[in-house]
């Protein structure tokens, strides 16, 4: 659950930032005091054909039911650094998020987190809220600096995570109980490092989303924030569907790949009939971060 370096993406975004985003970001951020930070935010890149199923057509590939099922298995039932077979992992208890600020731009960072948490709560229908004290939290998010990056990962996540900091921009981790329910989570974002690579928003969005129970990164899943080879910095329609699947009551923590297959099929067929799939790309852009970035 790490956002990796994409130097070429940062170069592209800095040079190709469109006028409409610059104008929109400038007018909005003046009122929020966020101007310089928002102007450096990266954009979506052109989309290409998904690779899990080679016979799909390029336009609406990800909406294929088999493709979505494979994508769910790839992202929800696997981990980045092992090859074990995992069960469904999700929160049952309310998620309470405490943000620790070790660097400046507190208003910017809090606003980004607040907007994304509101979007996740709306998509999943799960109780997700910011809290004022660490004692009340079960998700601890730290905005730090690169010089403290490794020591903060060691402090909160332990040596097994610390050994993976090199080549990563930011990191998230969660802890499970015996039922595969997520009980605690941590996200660490070294702000200067993330900004240097144009990935501050991407780190906020991806890491918080992943600690909800979608922990794997995969080049096989596209378009998605979970694919480190593509510069998706906000949730895509496919990510929206993966979150809705995971937090549907019929998908329970502890279910195996075999057990989850039938309810996934039922849900996807229902969403194909009622238009949820076809409208997912449009629906996901109702999140507060999208107009903030000029979409």
């Amino acid at each position: 659950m790490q956002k990796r370096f994409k130097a070429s993406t940062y170069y592209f975004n800095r040079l190709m930032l469109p006028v409409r985003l610059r104008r929109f970001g400038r007018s909005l951020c003046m009122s929020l005091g966020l101007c310089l930070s928002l102007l450096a935010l990266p954009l979506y890149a052109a989309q290409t054909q998904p690779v899990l199923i080679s016979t799909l057509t390029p336009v609406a590939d990800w909406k294929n039911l088999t493709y979505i099922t494979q994508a769910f298995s790839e992202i929800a039932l696997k981990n980045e650094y092992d090859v074990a077979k995992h069960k469904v992992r999700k929160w049952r208890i309310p998620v309470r998020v405490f943000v620790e600020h070790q660097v400046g731009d507190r208003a910017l960072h809090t606003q980004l987190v607040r907007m994304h948490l509101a979007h996740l709560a709306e998509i999943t229908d799960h109780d997700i809220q910011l809290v004022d004290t660490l004692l009340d939290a079960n998700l601890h998010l730290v905005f730090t600096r690169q010089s403290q990056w490794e020591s903060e990962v060691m402090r909160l996540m332990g040596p097994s995570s610390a050994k993976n900091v090199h080549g990563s921009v930011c990191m998230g981790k969660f802890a499970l109980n015996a039922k595969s329910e997520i009980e605690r989570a941590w996200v660490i974002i070294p702000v200067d490092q993330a900004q240097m690579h144009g990935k501050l928003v991407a780190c906020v969005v991806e890491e918080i989303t992943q600690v909800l129970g979608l922990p794997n990164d995969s080049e096989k899943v596209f378009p998605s924030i979970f694919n480190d080879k593509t510069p998706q910095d906000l949730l895509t329609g496919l990510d929206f569907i993966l979150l809705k699947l995971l937090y549907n009551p019929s998908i329970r923590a502890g279910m195996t790949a075999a057990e989850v297959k039938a309810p996934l099929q039922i849900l996807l067929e229902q969403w194909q009939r009622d238009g949820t799939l076809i409208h997912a790309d449009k629906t996901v852009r109702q999140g507060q971060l999208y107009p903030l970035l000029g979409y």
Side-chain angles (χ1 to χ4, degrees):
M1 295 188 291
Q2 303 171 27
K3 199 68 181 172
R4 298 193 174 277
F5 292 112
K6 298 179 187 173
S8 60
T9 299
Y10 177 67
Y11 177 78
F12 170 84
N13 290 327
R14 292 288 292 188
L15 295 183
M16 304 297 289
L17 193 65
V19 172
R20 67 183 181 89
L21 176 54
R22 294 201 304 268
R23 289 175 178 171
F24 184 93
R26 185 177 296 115
S27 61
L28 178 59
C29 65
M30 281 181 180
S31 63
L32 296 176
L34 310 181
C35 200
L36 292 178
S37 299
L38 288 180
L39 294 184
L41 296 178
L43 301 176
Y44 287 95
Q47 296 185 0
T48 56
Q49 183 174 349
V51 297
L52 287 183
I53 305 175
S54 59
T55 57
L56 297 182
T57 56
V59 177
D61 287 351
W62 77 259
K63 298 180 180 69
N64 176 281
L65 303 195
T66 301
Y67 184 84
I68 298 172
T69 301
Q70 291 178 325
F72 184 88
S73 177
E74 190 74 15
I75 300 302
L77 301 179
K78 294 183 179 181
N79 278 357
E80 186 173 3
Y81 292 107
D82 66 50
V83 294
K85 295 181 179 180
H86 293 277
K87 298 177 180 179
V88 171
R89 295 153 290 184
K90 61 190 288 188
W91 293 82
R92 180 183 59 83
I93 59 177
V95 180
R96 295 293 180 260
V97 183
F98 174 73
V99 181
E100 179 180 344
H101 299 276
Q102 298 180 356
V103 294
D105 288 328
R106 178 186 294 254
L108 167 64
H109 303 154
T110 301
Q111 185 79 334
L112 294 175
V113 172
R114 190 184 303 277
M115 287 178 168
H116 187 52
L117 292 180
H119 197 199
L120 291 174
E122 182 179 4
I123 294 170
T124 63
D125 199 28
H126 194 73
D127 187 355
I128 307 172
Q129 298 179 32
L130 279 174
V131 293
D132 295 327
T133 67
L134 183 57
L135 287 176
D136 295 325
N138 47 27
L139 197 168
H140 185 182
L141 192 161
V142 179
F143 287 100
T144 188
R145 54 182 56 85
Q146 187 175 15
S147 61
Q148 298 174 216
W149 167 225
E150 189 167 354
S151 62
E152 285 300 297
V153 172
M154 178 69 77
R155 176 174 74 95
L156 296 178
M157 300 180 182
S160 62
S161 295
K163 68 182 181 182
N164 296 316
V165 299
H166 300 292
S168 299
V169 181
C170 44
M171 191 177 296
K173 181 178 181 178
F174 55 66
L176 304 172
N177 63 20
K179 299 178 181 179
S180 293
E181 297 166 341
I182 303 172
E183 291 196 328
R184 300 197 68 81
W186 303 264
V187 170
I188 303 175
I189 301 173
V191 174
D192 50 350
Q193 179 170 275
Q195 288 178 329
M196 180 176 64
H197 294 275
K199 291 298 174 184
L200 178 59
V201 172
C203 280
V204 170
V205 171
E206 179 177 347
E207 301 303 340
I208 297 176
T209 304
Q210 289 198 294
V211 297
L212 291 189
L214 297 172
N216 196 32
D217 291 325
S218 175
E219 296 175 19
K220 297 178 181 179
V221 177
F222 188 92
S224 174
I225 60 168
F226 308 121
N227 185 332
D228 282 337
K229 294 297 184 182
T230 56
Q232 306 293 343
D233 296 325
L234 300 177
L235 297 175
T236 68
L238 176 56
D239 299 328
F240 168 81
I241 293 298
L242 295 179
L243 280 164
K244 284 182 66 69
L245 287 171
L246 180 62
Y247 277 86
N248 187 276
S250 65
I251 307 297
R252 301 182 304 278
M255 294 181 86
T256 65
E259 292 169 336
V260 81
K261 186 175 180 179
L264 284 180
Q265 186 71 17
I266 292 171
L267 287 171
L268 290 174
E269 289 177 355
Q270 175 187 330
W271 293 347
Q272 187 178 58
R273 291 192 300 269
D274 67 18
T276 299
L277 292 183
I278 196 65
H279 296 298
D281 290 318
K282 180 179 179 180
T283 303
V284 76
R285 293 197 175 198
Q286 295 176 5
Q288 297 175 42
L289 284 174
Y290 296 81
L292 185 66
L293 289 169
Y295 291 96

